């Protein structure tokens, strides 16, 4: 049993001298602004004109040519107005580094950058060339000069009114870069059979941290060579109510693609996305520029004109390609067809392509296990400056062992116990289904529940029918034998005349309507070339398929006023054109219009590229379970705190749904949603699941809530143009001089409006919770942009602020716990401390700060941590060694590099609001809240008994996040759509598997890294 866990987190020790470093800085030459704006806005319409000069590409190239330079983003006014931030410099460099860019070198760089600022084809315009020459002369005639800024306190910080550290913006880059430089001075990290030598990677102004990467390592697995590197990320963070900022170290594995596809003989790259490239030449890029050991940033992109992959011309790669001498850039065809030739040692440029799942499998496993991370961290700690120390280890908090909920079911032993548990769980599902679907005006009558199965293959149909019965513990075949049903009966079923199977249990009748998905309703969508614009083609096709499916289901008796469930068989998304022909979202919208919630099951395939995880029996069973959960059939983890928590405590969760312009329906939408989970008096973990209907100002059932989101996501046609130009956040590459659709000013203005709408939503929703004790659960990374009170620098204990009004005391009935996960590396890497001589591990449990007797009251501790057990499929040794190659018992060289690692994340639970003994409004007879008890209850909510594995988020927050599947923005229809229109495309589903505890999944773009 591990009693403590250690984190790779460091901060300035109390009462020690600050860690300082001296820098030279280069202020941004604001006197260039007018000349640059005249150039960048040449031939632009009024709505597309820039208000500030786009410097992203210049910043990236500066970090390439001058590797020791730290480039800062230019200060901008805050969202919603207010004073501009204090003046910050544009670039910093350590004081002991020689001048990084001589005037002549900087002048050539400025010339190359200026050519990228005009619209496409502007260089051929004589008027633009005239402006270009004049602007170049003015800039080079008045170059800025480096100025000393003295010693900078790298980890010192002001403290907010709430008691939280508020570092200066520049410290997020200066402190992490300084620690990275110190680590680079260490002796290489030794391991059995070799050593790791690290180099720095380029980091842009918005990356907010430093990154180091080892040389490529080669391992022979299954008779092929596979390459990977070890990566270290260093980042600076804050923690609520802690007056000192913290440095985090995060270790990982970057796998390199070495084997092109067997068919194309090339690496598979995305068609429409730029592929990130890192370059490391052996000689300086330009005469006079310093030599560099760091990596340079570039990009590869498909050229629509030639249909070939080439170096992008209007980004840092284009600038470098213009400036550099011949031979710095590899030929793209050679790199993609022979990637292994560029890895490792060799003359000239070294290159490696970052592996992605689109390229197929990789035999090197991802991640590092805790024992090796601990060893790497111990090596890096040698570089810590004096006075910077590791934070204290965490100890087990309240609760026993893993901090399990009261209704946690023990793992059955033997077939008899397993069968009994399956029957008990099925009976509990039937009970819950009866409770949530019972009609109040039909007391005493059996409750009738209907579900639909829309199938395409007989194999899936047969398995789905058996899985439906198994999920609900139903005996028999639903009358199929009595009706003497044949395959022809199933094939010939049509809306209104389905094959209906029925099971009767005590007080409950269950019917399953089986219909073949005919008429092409489940087929791929077709692009109509007559419709101009990809977004318009998608909208037309999705709307047409949506209406056809709705009418088809209504013919079968679907009632939009009574939510139901349908299981839909659909082909694997790889069989559709990415982002264009997948009908999944059109099907979901059509079913929602007919009052049906949807769950999908993928058609089995023998294609090796299609990974149908698990058997069809297993997938069908879990599909029905996920569908029943959408109906509200849930088991709430029951807390073990007894009287330490208010009686009748319920849980509310807030989630910000964010759909972008490149989402499933090609329309953006930001929508706050809230879910309420209330324990039912029947006990056994049964709970009422409701969602907040902001228009009606009331809580409604979870199925009605999900279906209602389809309408709430609709956008009025007259507002469409405003939405497309102002609601989409600026993305990487949003400064493209070819088509500047969105400016930062427009986005900031629109974000202010979204925050105001969120504030109004919060005020109404929170007001509805005043009649019963409630814990509000929020998610830091998901919601703090739209609810700034959740930010570390703004929040204060036991207060709440929803809008512009001053913060006020939290309501008597309300408590507030904020959850923060590892996104952005905001929670630390960790490991359980083992006894000497044993491997460090991954213990599950609830963790707290060690309390010094007599120096701190428990109510003053507000930040706790949660870890959960590993799923059974990840039964790995914590001592797995990714690096070493050893001689096995057979005398052969062996390696564990091919084994994948898995680590539970460390989830932060911050009790932002409660009622302690210091609350002046608390009556003397009232028992004060214990923050630790509230945090433990939220930890237990991650262990839902009806899920096979712990959830990544507490159950109420998980349910709120799943609502994103039904927020599919479409233009509101003023008139019926002509159903004779041809169909157009949908988009792949971004939502993660519910059974795995994932609320949203994202696929990172391919990257290329060149050494």
């Amino acid at each position: 049993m591990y009693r403590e866990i250690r984190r790779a987190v460091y901060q300035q020790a109390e009462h020690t001298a600050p860690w300082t470093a001296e820098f030279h800085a280069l202020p941004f030459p604001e006197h260039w602004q007018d000349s640059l704006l005249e150039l960048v806005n040449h031939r632009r319409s009024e709505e597309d004109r820039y208000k500030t000069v786009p410097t992203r590409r210049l910043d990236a190239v500066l970090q390439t040519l001058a590797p020791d330079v730290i480039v800062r983003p230019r200060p901008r006014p805050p969202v919603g107005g207010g004073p501009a931030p204090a003046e910050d410099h544009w670039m910093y460099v350590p004081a002991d580094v020689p001048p990084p860019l001589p005037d002549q070198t900087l002048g050539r760089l400025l010339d190359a950058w200026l050519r990228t600022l005009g619209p496409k084809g502007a260089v051929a315009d004589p008027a633009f060339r005239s402006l270009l020459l004049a602007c170049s002369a003015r800039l080079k005639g008045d170059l800025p000069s480096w100025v000393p800024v003295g010693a900078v306190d790298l980890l010192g910080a002001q403290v907010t009114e709430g008691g939280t550290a508020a570092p200066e913006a520049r410290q997020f880059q200066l402190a992490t870069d300084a620690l990275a430089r110190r680590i680079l001075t260490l002796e290489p990290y030794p391991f059995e059979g070799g050593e790791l030598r690290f180099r720095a990677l380029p980091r842009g102004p918005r990356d907010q941290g430093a990154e180091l990467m080892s040389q490529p390592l080669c391992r022979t697995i299954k008779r092929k060579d596979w390459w990977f590197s070890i990566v270290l990320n260093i980042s600076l963070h804050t923690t609520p109510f802690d007056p000192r900022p913290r440095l985090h170290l995060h270790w990982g594995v970057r796998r390199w693609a070495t084997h092109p596809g067997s068919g194309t003989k090339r690496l598979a790259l995305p068609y429409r996305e730029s592929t990130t490239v890192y370059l490391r030449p052996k000689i300086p890029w330009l005469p006079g520029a310093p030599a560099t050991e760091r990596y340079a940033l570039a990009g590869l992109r498909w050229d629509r004109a030639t249909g070939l992959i080439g170096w992008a011309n209007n980004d840092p790669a284009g600038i470098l390609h213009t400036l550099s001498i011949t031979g710095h850039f590899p030929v793209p065809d050679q790199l993609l067809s022979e990637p292994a030739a560029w890895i490792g040692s060799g003359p000239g440029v070294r290159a490696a392509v970052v592996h992605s799942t689109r390229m197929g499998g990789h035999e090197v496993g991802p991640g590092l296990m805790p024992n090796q991370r601990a060893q790497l961290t111990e090596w890096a700690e040698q570089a810590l400056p004096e006075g910077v120390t590791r934070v204290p280890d965490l100890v087990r908090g309240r609760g026993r062992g893993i901090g399990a909920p009261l209704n946690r079911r023990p793992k059955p032993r033997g077939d008899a116990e397993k069968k009994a548990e399956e029957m008990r769980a099925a009976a509990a599902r039937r009970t819950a289904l009866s409770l949530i679907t019972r009609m109040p005006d039909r007391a005493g009558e059996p409750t009738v529940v209907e579900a639909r199965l829309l199938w395409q293959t007989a194999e899936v149909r047969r398995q789905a029918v058996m899985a439906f019965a198994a999920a609900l513990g139903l005996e028999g075949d639903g009358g199929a034998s009595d009706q003497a049903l044949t395959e022809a009966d199933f094939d010939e079923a049509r809306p209104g005349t389905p094959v209906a199977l029925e099971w009767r249990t005590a007080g409950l009748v269950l019917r399953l309507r089986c219909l073949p998905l005919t008429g092409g309703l489940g087929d791929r969508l077709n692009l109509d070339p007559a419709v101009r614009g990809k977004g318009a083609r998608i909208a037309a096709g999705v709307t047409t398929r949506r209406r056809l499916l709705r009418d088809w289901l209504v013919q079968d008796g679907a009632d939009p006023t009574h939510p139901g469930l349908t299981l839909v068989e659909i082909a694997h998304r790889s069989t559709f054109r990415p982002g264009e022909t997948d009908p999944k979202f059109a099907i979901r919208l059509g079913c929602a219009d007919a009052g049906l919630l949807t769950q999908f099951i993928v058609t089995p395939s023998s294609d090796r590229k299609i990974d149908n995880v698990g058997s069809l029996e297993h997938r069908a069973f879990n599909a029905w379970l996920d569908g029943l959960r959408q109906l509200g059939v849930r088991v709430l983890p029951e807390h073990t705190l007894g009287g330490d928590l208010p009686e009748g405590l319920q849980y509310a969760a807030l989630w910000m749904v964010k759909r972008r312009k490149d989402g499933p329906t090609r329309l953006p939408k930001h929508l706050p949603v809230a879910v309420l989970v209330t324990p039912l008096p029947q006990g056994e973990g049964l709970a009422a699941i409701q969602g907040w209907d902001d228009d009606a100002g009331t809580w409604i059932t979870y199925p009605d809530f999900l279906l209602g989101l389809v309408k709430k996501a609709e956008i009025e046609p007259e507002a469409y143009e405003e939405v497309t130009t102002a609601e989409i956040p600026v993305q990487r590459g949003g400064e493209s001089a070819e088509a500047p659709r969105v400016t930062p000013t427009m986005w900031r203005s629109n974000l202010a409006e979204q925050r105001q709408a969120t504030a109004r939503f919060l005020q109404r929703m929170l007001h509805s919770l005043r009649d019963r004790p409630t814990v509000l659960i929020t998610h830091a990374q998901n919601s703090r942009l739209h609810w700034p009170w959740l930010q570390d620098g703004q929040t204060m204990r036991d207060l709440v602020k929803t809008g512009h009004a001053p913060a006020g005391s939290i309501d008597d009935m309300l408590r507030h716990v904020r959850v923060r996960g590892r996104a952005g590396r905001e929670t630390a890497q960790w490991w359980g401390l083992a006894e000497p001589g044993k491997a460090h591990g991954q213990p599950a449990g609830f963790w707290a700060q060690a309390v010094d007797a007599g120096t701190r009251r428990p109510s003053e501790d507000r930040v706790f941590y949660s870890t959960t057990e590993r799923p059974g499929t990840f039964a790995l040794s914590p001592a797995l060694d990714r690096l070493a190659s050893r001689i096995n018992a057979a005398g052969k060289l062996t390696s564990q590099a091919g084994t994948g690692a898995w680590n539970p994340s460390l989830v932060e639970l911050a009790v932002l609001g409660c009622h302690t003994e210091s609350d002046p409004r608390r009556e003397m007879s009232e028992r004060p809240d214990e923050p630790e008890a509230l945090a433990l209850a939220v930890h237990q909510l991650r262990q839902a008994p009806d899920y096979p594995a712990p959830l990544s988020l507490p159950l109420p927050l998980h349910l709120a996040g799943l609502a994103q599947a039904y927020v599919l923005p479409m233009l509101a229809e003023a008139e019926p759509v002509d159903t004779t229109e041809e169909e157009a495309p949908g988009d792949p589903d971004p939502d993660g598997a519910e059974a795995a505890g994932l609320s949203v999944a994202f696929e990172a773009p391919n990257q290329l890294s060149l050494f």
Side-chain angles (χ1 to χ4, degrees):
M1 173 67 72
Y2 297 92
R3 297 184 179 182
E4 298 175 314
I5 64 173
R6 177 162 293 175
R7 296 164 291 167
V9 179
Y10 309 89
Q11 61 185 186
Q12 189 79 42
E14 291 183 315
H15 313 303
T16 59
W19 175 30
T20 62
E22 294 191 351
F23 295 89
H24 287 99
L26 192 73
F28 187 86
E30 296 295 343
H31 55 275
W32 289 357
Q33 178 87 348
D34 292 341
S35 297
L36 290 171
L37 283 177
E38 183 181 7
L39 183 68
V40 76
N41 289 324
H42 177 68
R43 290 193 336 193
R44 296 191 191 280
S45 63
E46 186 62 33
E47 63 180 9
D48 286 341
R49 294 178 68 84
Y50 282 93
K51 303 299 188 296
T52 58
V53 179
T55 60
R56 177 184 61 86
R57 291 186 297 273
L58 177 61
D59 293 341
V61 177
L62 282 168
Q63 291 214 287
T64 296
L65 294 176
D68 289 307
V69 166
I70 303 166
V71 183
R72 295 277 305 130
R74 295 179 60 199
R76 290 174 176 168
V79 173
E87 181 180 355
D88 194 0
H89 294 292
W90 182 24
M91 288 185 277
Y92 290 82
V93 68
D96 58 352
V97 172
L101 284 174
D103 288 353
Q104 182 180 1
T105 303
L106 181 58
R108 290 188 61 188
L109 172 60
L110 290 173
D111 283 341
W113 171 60
L114 292 176
R115 285 194 291 271
T116 71
L117 293 182
K120 187 175 183 179
V123 177
D125 181 355
F128 179 79
R129 290 203 304 270
S130 177
L131 283 174
L132 180 64
L133 292 173
C135 186
S136 173
R138 283 194 290 268
L139 266 58
K140 289 191 288 187
D142 193 9
L143 294 174
S145 300
W146 291 91
V147 296
V149 294
V152 176
D153 187 351
L154 297 176
L155 290 181
Q158 299 291 322
V159 179
T160 68
E161 191 175 351
T164 302
E168 296 179 21
R170 62 181 180 175
Q171 287 176 283
F172 289 89
Q173 287 175 271
L174 300 185
T176 54
D177 185 79
L179 181 57
R181 293 174 191 274
R182 293 178 66 95
I183 293 175
L184 289 174
T185 64
L186 297 176
E187 292 296 320
Y189 173 80
F191 63 89
E192 187 176 345
E195 60 184 20
L196 295 180
R197 301 178 304 278
F198 288 88
R199 297 181 184 274
L201 296 178
R203 305 291 285 174
R206 296 172 181 84
D207 290 330
Q208 300 294 313
E211 187 173 10
L212 305 179
M213 187 170 68
S214 76
Q215 80 278 15
L217 304 171
C218 182
R219 296 293 180 267
T220 301
I221 306 172
K222 296 182 180 179
R223 300 182 180 180
K224 285 187 177 181
D225 289 342
W226 301 89
W227 294 80
F228 68 99
S229 291
I230 303 299
V231 177
L232 170 61
N233 283 279
I234 308 170
S235 50
L236 183 70
H237 301 278
T238 59
T239 299
F241 318 127
D242 188 331
R244 292 173 290 168
R246 303 177 169 196
L247 287 164
H248 289 188
L249 302 186
H250 281 258
W251 297 94
V253 171
R254 182 160 294 157
R255 301 180 294 175
W256 307 117
T258 55
H259 302 291
S262 57
T264 62
K265 304 300 182 182
R266 291 163 59 90
L267 296 178
L269 299 184
Y271 178 68
R272 298 183 184 277
E273 301 173 8
S274 178
T275 300
T276 305
V277 179
Y278 291 98
L279 302 171
R280 188 174 66 84
K282 297 297 181 67
I283 59 176
W285 287 101
L286 289 174
T292 175
E293 293 294 331
R294 297 196 176 196
Y295 302 85
L297 186 66
L300 287 174
R301 184 187 298 273
W302 283 95
D303 188 327
R304 296 185 181 182
T306 63
L308 302 175
I309 293 180
W311 297 106
N313 292 321
N314 208 26
D315 67 0
I319 298 176
L320 289 174
H321 199 253
T322 302
L323 291 171
S324 63
I325 61 175
T326 304
H328 278 174
F329 279 70
V331 177
D333 281 343
Q334 294 178 358
L335 182 60
L336 299 179
S337 60
E338 300 178 282
W342 300 85
I343 302 178
S345 301
V349 175
R350 296 290 82 204
V353 182
V354 176
H355 171 77
S356 80
T357 54
R358 302 184 191 185
M359 301 174 186
H362 198 291
E363 291 301 328
V364 172
L368 297 167
M369 290 299 279
N371 196 63
Q372 192 153 60
R373 290 197 308 195
Q375 294 170 348
L376 286 162
T377 301
E378 184 178 356
W379 168 79
E381 286 176 351
Q382 299 175 81
L384 291 175
E386 185 177 357
V388 177
T389 60
R390 186 177 57 246
V391 299
D393 298 330
L394 297 174
V395 299
R396 290 192 179 273
R398 293 187 55 168
R400 291 184 175 182
I402 65 172
L406 191 64
N407 55 343
R408 173 184 170 90
R409 304 295 302 182
K411 186 176 181 179
R413 298 179 180 178
D415 293 341
E417 285 190 15
K418 183 178 180 181
K419 182 65 175 178
E421 174 59 23
E422 290 173 351
M423 296 304 296
R424 183 208 62 79
R429 294 185 196 107
R430 294 197 304 272
T431 301
L433 195 58
S434 177
L435 287 172
I436 64 178
T437 58
R438 182 175 296 160
M439 304 293 289
D441 57 345
R442 296 182 181 177
E445 299 181 17
T447 301
V448 179
V449 178
E450 278 193 347
R452 283 176 173 79
L453 171 62
L454 308 184
W455 58 276
Q456 298 192 60
T457 62
E459 182 183 7
V460 167
R461 186 203 72 226
R462 287 190 290 267
Q463 197 61 61
V465 170
M466 291 188 290
F468 180 79
L472 293 167
L474 307 174
E475 298 291 340
D477 59 6
S481 301
D482 297 338
Q483 301 177 59
L485 295 175
T486 65
E487 289 294 321
D489 293 324
F490 283 99
D491 292 338
E492 294 169 4
R494 293 296 181 268
T497 58
V499 170
L501 305 177
E502 182 176 293
W503 294 263
R504 290 180 175 269
T505 65
L508 188 63
V509 177
L510 293 139
R511 293 180 186 147
L512 181 61
R513 301 171 70 91
C514 302
L515 284 167
L517 197 58
T518 57
L521 292 174
D523 295 346
R524 67 183 61 188
L525 301 174
N526 300 314
L527 293 174
D528 183 0
V531 179
R532 296 189 60 185
K534 182 176 179 180
R537 289 195 297 272
I538 291 174
V542 169
T543 301
T544 299
R545 181 69 62 89
R546 169 185 184 176
R547 186 169 289 276
L548 286 172
L549 187 61
R550 185 206 63 181
D551 294 345
W552 190 79
L553 290 167
V554 169
Q555 291 177 32
D556 190 54
D559 183 357
T561 63
H562 292 87
L565 172 65
T566 182
L567 180 62
V568 183
E569 180 184 355
I570 191 171
H572 192 273
R573 64 184 179 184
S574 65
T575 62
F576 306 113
R577 189 183 304 169
E580 296 183 0
T581 62
D582 193 335
K584 185 172 188 177
F585 290 100
I587 292 173
R588 175 160 280 162
L589 287 167
C591 290
D593 291 341
L596 297 176
L597 300 163
T598 47
Q599 190 64 38
F600 294 91
I601 182 170
V602 175
T603 301
S605 173
S606 58
D607 189 340
R608 294 176 60 186
K609 296 181 180 179
I610 298 177
D611 185 14
N612 287 138
V613 179
S615 66
L616 179 57
E617 176 185 5
H618 174 79
R619 291 190 293 114
F621 182 80
N622 282 287
W624 281 118
L625 291 187
D626 287 343
L628 292 171
R629 291 180 184 124
Q630 289 190 52
L631 285 174
V633 179
R634 303 278 177 169
V635 179
L636 177 68
E638 296 177 327
H639 68 75
T640 57
L641 282 305
D644 289 347
L645 293 180
E647 185 177 356
L649 187 67
Q650 61 183 6
Y651 306 93
L654 172 74
W655 190 265
M656 279 300 307
V657 175
K658 303 164 189 176
R659 290 291 192 190
R660 302 193 322 185
K661 182 70 164 55
D662 58 355
T665 57
R666 294 304 193 269
L667 288 173
K669 189 72 175 181
H670 294 79
L671 187 70
V673 299
V675 165
L676 182 65
V677 181
T678 306
L680 294 176
Q682 288 82 355
E684 298 185 1
L686 296 179
I689 314 296
Q690 298 173 288
W692 176 249
D693 186 338
D694 199 42
D695 294 333
T698 187
W699 295 94
I700 59 177
T701 65
Y702 191 61
D704 286 323
F705 162 70
L706 292 178
L707 295 173
L709 291 176
V710 171
K711 281 293 182 185
K712 291 184 184 297
E714 289 184 344
I715 300 172
E716 294 300 325
E718 59 269 19
Y720 174 67
E721 183 63 26
E722 177 185 352
V723 169
T724 56
T725 58
E727 190 166 346
I728 314 163
V730 176
Q731 303 169 22
R732 189 173 186 176
E735 295 174 347
S736 171
E738 297 182 8
R741 290 281 296 173
V742 185
T743 68
T745 302
M746 294 163 62
W747 176 69
R748 287 198 299 274
S749 173
N750 193 260
L751 178 59
E753 295 175 8
Q754 293 169 24
R755 286 181 172 178
Q756 292 172 7
T758 303
R760 293 191 293 268
F761 175 93
L762 284 167
Q763 290 161 5
R764 292 187 289 265
M765 186 268 291
L766 294 178
H767 187 270
S768 72
L769 301 175
R770 294 188 170 188
D771 60 347
R772 182 167 178 171
T774 305
V775 176
L776 173 67
I777 307 174
T778 56
H779 190 281
Q781 290 102 323
N782 169 262
S783 302
R784 66 189 174 204
L785 180 65
H786 290 82
W787 189 12
W789 184 251
L790 298 180
Q791 297 174 12
D792 287 353
Q794 295 201 29
T795 193
M796 300 172 64
R797 296 181 191 227
D798 307 330
L799 300 179
V800 66
K801 179 179 180 181
T802 56
H804 291 297
S809 298
I810 196 168
D811 186 80
D812 291 346
M813 290 292 181
L814 191 65
R815 284 82 177 162
H816 182 194
V817 178
R818 191 198 72 178
V819 175
R820 177 156 59 175
R822 62 183 171 190
R825 305 183 182 91
E826 293 189 32
T827 58
Q829 287 191 336
W830 63 280
W831 54 90
L833 285 179
E835 297 176 359
K838 295 184 179 180
H840 299 305
Q842 302 166 317
F846 175 69
W847 308 92
Q849 304 283 348
V851 177
D852 299 329
T855 63
R856 187 166 69 249
R857 295 192 309 274
S859 63
E860 293 177 342
D861 295 320
R862 294 299 185 93
V863 180
F864 305 89
Y865 295 89
S866 167
T867 61
T868 54
E869 295 175 297
R870 292 179 296 171
T873 53
F874 291 99
L876 305 172
S877 168
L880 183 146
D881 192 331
R882 178 75 67 219
L883 298 175
S885 295
R886 299 187 176 93
I887 303 297
N888 62 15
K892 295 183 178 180
L893 193 66
T894 184
S895 169
Q896 294 178 303
T899 305
W902 190 89
N903 293 273
S905 62
L906 185 67
V907 175
E908 178 188 274
L909 307 175
V911 182
L912 301 186
C914 63
H915 306 284
T916 63
E917 64 272 13
S918 60
D919 188 343
R921 299 175 304 156
R922 186 180 62 86
E923 300 291 338
M924 294 300 296
S925 59
E926 294 178 351
R927 185 170 184 172
D929 290 335
E930 293 185 30
E932 187 170 357
L934 290 167
L936 175 57
V938 174
H939 161 74
Q940 292 175 338
L941 288 173
R942 298 182 62 197
Q943 305 172 66
D946 57 335
Y947 280 89
L951 299 173
S952 59
L953 297 173
L955 179 62
L957 204 57
H958 175 72
L959 298 178
L962 290 176
Q964 176 151 319
Y966 287 87
V967 179
L968 300 169
M970 294 292 293
L971 294 182
E973 297 181 72
E975 298 178 359
V977 174
D978 180 4
T979 58
T980 62
E981 293 183 29
E982 292 193 22
E983 300 155 358
D987 204 340
D989 180 12
D991 297 313
E994 181 173 332
L998 304 175
S999 55
V1000 181
F1002 300 94
E1003 185 175 358
N1006 287 358
Q1007 286 186 326
L1008 285 176
S1009 179
L1010 279 74
F1011 304 117

